[in-house]
Amino acid sequence: MTVGEGSAISAESKILLRWTLPFVDNIESVNIFRAAENEKETLIKTLSSDSETFEDSTAQKGIMYYYFITLKYKNGLESKPTDAVSAKWN
């Protein structure tokens, strides 16, 4: 199972991410990946299994970022990544 609909919204000096978790109880953690335009993605944060929001305060002004999320399960498997969402704060 993968994460449901996600969004990325530019806010003052940060980018807000929101998503919907699937209704399963074997999630160990939520992984947030980020890539600047034309760059390779990197894992920027691992969150608790019940997290459905994240504030990226390390994003730099004027750069377009692409985010995707994976779920790590208690059996060691990881979900496929979500479709990328993008945002840039000016």
Side-chain angles (χ1 to χ4, degrees):
M1 301 212 56
T2 61
V3 174
E5 283 296 311
S7 64
I9 301 166
S10 175
E12 188 173 331
S13 72
K14 62 189 166 199
I15 296 174
L16 305 173
L17 301 174
R18 295 180 193 275
W19 59 89
T20 305
L21 291 172
F23 293 107
V24 295
D25 60 1
N26 64 338
I27 299 171
E28 183 176 294
S29 60
V30 177
N31 296 316
I32 309 293
F33 292 84
R34 180 182 76 189
E37 202 159 20
N38 300 317
E39 291 187 12
K40 184 169 173 40
E41 74 279 347
T42 56
L43 176 65
I44 60 167
K45 189 72 174 178
T46 298
L47 302 170
S48 65
S49 63
D50 59 349
S51 299
E52 292 187 310
T53 62
F54 173 69
E55 294 183 4
D56 184 4
S57 57
T58 64
Q60 295 179 22
K61 190 173 186 176
I63 297 176
M64 178 64 76
Y65 290 101
Y66 298 89
Y67 298 88
F68 66 88
I69 299 165
T70 64
L71 300 176
K72 179 88 176 217
Y73 293 100
K74 292 178 181 173
N75 62 5
L77 297 178
E78 191 169 1
S79 72
K80 291 182 180 179
T82 59
D83 290 336
V85 293
S86 60
K88 158 169 87 168
W89 66 277
N90 296 316

